[in-house]
Amino acid sequence: MKVRRCRGAGFALHWGPAFRLGVAALVQITSPAFKQNAARALADAGLQKALGKAKGAFLQRRAEAVARLPEFEALRDIGRDIKNHTLANLDAYLETYAANVERAGGTVHWCSTAEEARAAVLGICQRAGARTVTKGKSMISEEIAVNDHLEAHGITPVETDLGEYIIQLRREHPSHIIAPAFHLNREDWEADFRRMHTDLDPNRVFAERRDILTEARTKLRERFLAADVGITGANFLIAETGSSVIVTNEGNGDLTQTLPRVHIALASIEKVVPTLEDATSLLRLLARSATGQDFSVYTTFSTGARRPADLDGPEEYHVVLIDNGRSNMIGSEFQDMLRCIRCAACMNHCPVYGATGGHAYGWVYPGPMGSVLTPSLVGVDKAAHLPNASTFCGKCESVCPVKIPLPKLMRHWREREFERHLTPSAVRSNLALWAWFAKRPGMYRAATRAAVGALRLIARGRGALRSLPLAGGWTEGRDLPVPEGGTFMSRYAKQQRGR
Amino acid sequence: MSKDAILGAIRRGLKRGPLPADQRAMIDGRLASHPRHLIPARSRLPRPEQVALFVANVGKEFGTVARVADADAVPTAIAAYLAQQNLAPRFVLAPHPDLAALPWASAPMLEFEARRAQPDDLVAVQHGYAAIAETGTLMLPSGPERPTTLNILAETEIVVLRASRIVGAYEEAWDLLRDGRTGGFMPRNVMLVTGPSRSADIEQTLELGAHGPRRLHVILIDDDPAALPAP
Ligand code: SF4
């Protein structure tokens, strides 16, 4: 299942005023079609093969990394507290951060919306006379859809993270926030490389995965050397020093930000932390939660532009600092979501994500964190299905390195959805019916007694029902266990009498 | 202006105006004192074990380490490593005074230039500023004497490191970098490097040598008597 890009800014118009934040006007949001997307994903054999292979590896590696660090649980509390402290003083830390960037010779571009951020990036690239731009992996870049904007103005963006590179060749979107090509198999890579790298021998052999990697390395080297501007994201911003931090394993982010004449770091406002020590504690959590490494290969702190005697490094350093709806979350019941360090542990452990993959979620951020963040950023009217795409098993919260109560936040969205009459009418009327009985205990008990009796009658001694009149949709995918005895209340009363 | 709009929206959410002076002073105090949080016990070790932990962790992350008794042995150790890897004895060298002072005449087959790295350099010899035992991580701050391109362009990276510069935790390495200076002390670029470059993007299976070096070799000078392994 592909999430397609829609070109042309006019597309955003019919979303109307509800689309208050002007988010991602160029990325089509297919979240309203989550159910259809999910059904298609479940029937996609290639996708199911890829998901099956990938998931176990992530879980096992994380579990091993956590087991190697006895302090991991204590660090989760620390991570949560650092982020909470920062969010409670976010204005002050952002001001200090920006002042320190400028002191080190960098420029900060404050952007309220995706549109402003796109314009800022384009402006910097145009002033630099850029023709090609290399890019390190960045989710905020997907969120603001900057690639399409650059292309529309004659500038070629080249994704350099291996996973992002193939996604760009396929003109898709990432299906996972740290493993963008989570949904692809080796055969997909080979086919796409043959299709796109037409200057190479069409009969070349990809005997091992390494051959795919080597071809990508060679192709991208040319791009790194030719680029006029390098764009990266930022895992953290450090107020104390005015630094932006990127974390990679490939080294593509470092080539991106070191070789071109201009470096642009894209970062959303909640990435700021006070000090190097704060960033360090969060870094101890990040790689372990994400890939199950003790530390990523390259953790790089960038502070300003090339210094007078330096022999390399960019001459210009810009930070495009993006709000795009986040400041509205401050002080709301969704503020906790701004602690997220984008490690992807929640989606790796999510049974729904594990079954559907990331594209079904229909926008940039999939899995449990996406189910909370997407409605916050694009509006619950566009993403109402997502907070419902959960079994509420609680696994996501139990692995989240900054202890975000994801199930609770999804429940908040369900409440808002209900208040705003976005819940389907059948669900609403059934809930109303249930509520009517629930307020009348006598009637409720009589009704449940009748229901238990009816189910036992239909079951005629079987332990479970394979189908149920009026609930065919529900029993299509599972059996309904038949109640064994009476209702809870009747059993409870019996037990009390027996005492 | 968007800056005011963003700060204003944050303050509305927090239900307050700009921080009052006393609270602002608390924030500034926290920034100035940059308190440490919990540091994992794994690196709180006697010196010899700390250095051994560093060596073990580099190995765990697919790097290699050669220990030499003193700086004079570095050129021959470089020559031996390149020969063992079947690489030509040619490299770009970080223009660091410590490296310039090595007795290069002891390995006359080595050819090198002291400069930034270029795309066709196959081997780079970098100066190690410090290292962190906790995860086998090298700290490589940029500067005229330690160009960043040496960390990322060549297929093979050799880092010359003194054992006396190995610390337990990242926090101690930050303090080396701060070294009494406040504010504005950060070099343009500080790389923390843990092993050679890699990717798991193809079917979540690890392959070494993505965009950065395929090999990472540390030549460790045992200049710290307290850190020598027990005889
Ligand atoms: S919500 Fe938590 S687990 Fe999920 S990506 Fe964010 S930090 Fe990681």
Side-chain angles (χ1 to χ4, degrees), chain A residues 177 337 340-346 369 396 399-402 404 406:
Chain A
I177 62 172
M337 193 60 222
C340 176
I341 57 172
R342 306 283 189 272
C343 71
C346 56
M369 58 80 68
C396 49
V399 295
C400 175
V402 284
I404 298 174
L406 292 154

Side-chain angles (χ1 to χ4, degrees), chain A residues 110-258:
Chain A
W110 299 73
C111 300
S112 288
T113 62
E115 206 176 347
E116 280 180 37
R118 284 194 295 270
V121 172
L122 180 64
I124 299 165
C125 292
Q126 285 175 335
R127 280 193 295 282
R131 283 180 304 141
T132 67
V133 168
T134 41
K135 293 191 64 220
K137 192 176 148 27
S138 152
M139 291 311 297
I140 189 85
S141 153
E142 293 286 331
E143 183 184 321
I144 66 169
V146 75
N147 284 5
D148 288 355
H149 193 62
L150 291 174
E151 269 180 300
H153 291 82
I155 297 171
T156 309
V158 181
E159 294 290 348
T160 64
D161 171 270
L162 202 55
E164 291 279 352
Y165 176 63
I166 191 163
I167 295 299
Q168 192 184 26
L169 292 184
R170 295 168 68 90
R171 305 212 63 90
E172 289 183 1
H173 286 287
S175 61
H176 189 280
I177 62 172
I178 64 162
F182 201 67
H183 58 295
L184 298 180
N185 293 300
R186 187 173 148 182
E187 303 82 67
D188 301 316
W189 287 83
E190 295 184 9
D192 286 323
F193 275 24
R194 281 188 208 286
R195 186 169 55 82
M196 300 304 291
H197 300 159
T198 47
D199 55 328
L200 300 177
D201 175 9
N203 297 319
R204 65 194 182 281
V205 181
F206 293 100
E208 309 168 48
R209 290 193 190 85
R210 154 161 296 252
D211 299 332
I212 302 173
L213 185 70
T214 305
E215 181 166 318
R217 179 181 169 115
T218 312
K219 278 277 148 204
L220 281 164
R221 259 308 155 97
E222 302 160 13
R223 300 301 212 151
F224 282 123
L225 300 173
D228 307 292
V229 175
I231 302 179
T232 66
N235 290 80
F236 302 101
L237 305 173
I238 299 177
E240 177 196 6
T241 56
S243 311
S244 56
V245 185
I246 60 166
V247 176
T248 77
N249 281 323
E250 297 181 5
N252 64 308
D254 291 285
L255 288 164
T256 299
Q257 65 185 16
T258 304

Side-chain angles (χ1 to χ4, degrees), chain B residues 46-70:
Chain B
R47 283 297 287 158
E49 288 160 52
Q50 214 168 39
V51 173
L53 178 67
F54 169 77
V55 172
N57 277 333
V58 172
K60 170 174 159 289
E61 298 300 341
F62 309 100
T64 49
V65 180
R67 291 180 83 152
V68 296
D70 53 40

Side-chain angles (χ1 to χ4, degrees), chain A residues 230-432:
Chain A
I231 302 179
T232 66
N235 290 80
F236 302 101
L237 305 173
I238 299 177
E240 177 196 6
T241 56
S243 311
S244 56
V245 185
I246 60 166
V247 176
T248 77
N249 281 323
E250 297 181 5
N252 64 308
D254 291 285
L255 288 164
T256 299
Q257 65 185 16
T258 304
L259 298 181
R261 205 178 61 71
V262 179
H263 173 203
I264 304 175
L266 305 176
S268 48
I269 53 173
E270 83 283 12
K271 297 283 171 202
V272 74
V273 295
T275 64
L276 289 167
E277 279 72 7
D278 295 314
T280 299
S281 289
L282 290 162
L283 284 165
R284 283 197 179 97
L285 291 164
L286 179 59
R288 291 182 171 92
S289 302
T291 52
Q293 289 168 282
D294 290 344
F295 215 56
S296 300
V297 178
Y298 301 110
T299 302
T300 305
F301 299 69
S302 296
T303 314
R306 183 192 286 212
R307 308 283 160 86
D310 279 354
L311 303 177
D312 53 20
E315 288 158 32
E316 289 177 35
Y317 172 78
H318 299 267
V319 180
V320 175
L321 189 60
I322 304 161
D323 179 345
N324 206 26
R326 285 156 178 85
S327 59
N328 289 339
M329 295 164 69
I330 299 275
S332 79
E333 64 265 60
F334 300 107
Q335 177 171 320
D336 288 346
M337 193 60 222
L338 295 176
R339 293 204 297 267
C340 176
I341 57 172
R342 306 283 189 272
C343 71
C346 56
M347 62 197 73
N348 291 341
H349 289 78
C350 176
V352 177
Y353 181 95
T356 66
H359 284 161
Y361 290 80
W363 197 54
V364 177
Y365 301 103
M369 58 80 68
S371 294
V372 177
L373 194 60
T374 303
S376 302
L377 298 183
V378 308
V380 66
D381 47 333
K382 303 256 155 12
H385 282 310
L386 301 185
N388 292 296
S390 164
T391 65
F392 285 79
C393 68
K395 193 73 193 159
C396 49
E397 180 175 0
S398 76
V399 295
C400 175
V402 284
K403 294 200 161 177
I404 298 174
L406 292 154
K408 185 177 100 185
L409 300 185
M410 281 185 250
R411 227 171 276 126
H412 283 323
W413 275 125
R414 287 188 179 189
E415 284 158 23
R416 287 224 187 159
E417 179 199 1
F418 192 84
E419 281 159 18
R420 293 184 51 189
H421 295 270
L422 296 167
T423 316
S425 60
V427 177
R428 295 186 76 82
S429 47
N430 284 335
L431 274 174

